[in-house]
Amino acid sequence: MNGHIPIHLDVNGRVHDLSLDPRTSLLDCLREHLGLTGTKKGCDQGACGACTVLLDGERVNSCLTPAVQCDGMEIVTIEAMADHELGGQVQQAFRTHDGFQCGYCTSGQICSIIGMLAEHRDGRPSAVTEDLTRPAPLTGAEIRERMAGNLCRCGAYNGIVAAIREVAGT
């Protein structure tokens, strides 16, 4: 026995049956085992958000998520965003508002935006939501707080916020 664990992953609508070392992160599984290199390895410590993907619709840092914990779950990466309901809109808004500079963080930013907009639509508050009795307006402060886990080394935050506001219609 080689110590590997069989897992079944649904990545971007495609099913993969793999046998992985239980220490393999979802990020390394995506990049090294499935060849999906759009998800970036930034800090490998969960601090930068470059590795953000959607796991059953929730945004996660794939560098901190063991792949074996994702068995049977739906994983969406940047490679599927062009066909996603909002993914194409977010990508276009990034181009329009210069929401990227070097582009390294962009895949994580876009995946995080999709998850963040779903959280907002579901009425989940953030740390800066003032009135918990009604849906929070998606202000610049709300957006910045909700996206705080995604860093941009180039400082394209104003463009990112503008892109989010365009897609959200605020």
Side-chain angles (χ1 to χ4, degrees):
M1 178 99 178
N2 62 8
H4 287 197
I5 296 175
I7 64 169
H8 173 85
L9 298 179
D10 176 350
V11 182
N12 300 331
R14 187 167 170 221
V15 175
H16 302 273
D17 290 309
L18 303 165
S19 179
L20 297 175
D21 182 309
R23 298 168 294 183
T24 304
S25 70
L26 178 56
L27 173 62
D28 289 340
C29 175
L30 293 169
R31 292 182 60 79
E32 297 171 16
H33 295 273
L34 301 179
L36 298 171
T37 57
T39 303
K40 302 301 182 204
K41 184 179 278 198
C43 67
D44 211 20
Q45 298 175 356
C48 73
C51 67
T52 303
V53 299
L54 300 177
L55 184 61
D56 279 350
E58 299 288 327
R59 51 192 172 150
V60 298
N61 289 329
S62 63
C63 72
L64 297 180
T65 305
V68 296
Q69 286 186 342
C70 303
D71 187 34
M73 300 177 85
E74 179 186 19
I75 301 158
V76 178
T77 70
I78 191 64
E79 285 86 355
M81 283 298 149
D83 297 326
H84 187 275
E85 174 187 347
L86 288 176
Q89 291 177 43
V90 172
Q91 290 179 32
Q92 180 57 49
F94 260 59
R95 286 189 291 273
T96 300
H97 297 282
D98 200 20
F100 55 91
Q101 299 279 316
C102 78
Y104 198 81
C105 72
T106 303
S107 59
Q109 295 274 1
I110 290 172
C111 287
S112 190
I113 289 166
I114 299 303
M116 182 272 295
L117 289 173
E119 292 165 10
H120 182 259
R121 268 194 317 274
D122 291 345
R124 295 189 221 168
S126 79
V128 299
T129 301
E130 292 182 18
D131 184 352
L132 300 179
T133 64
R134 59 189 174 107
L138 203 52
T139 63
E142 275 287 336
I143 292 169
R144 283 180 173 81
E145 173 61 28
R146 291 172 185 265
M147 293 296 295
N150 290 83
L151 304 179
C152 174
R153 293 177 184 137
C154 302
Y157 296 113
N158 290 337
I160 292 168
V161 170
I164 293 169
R165 292 189 84 159
E166 177 184 309
V167 172
T170 63

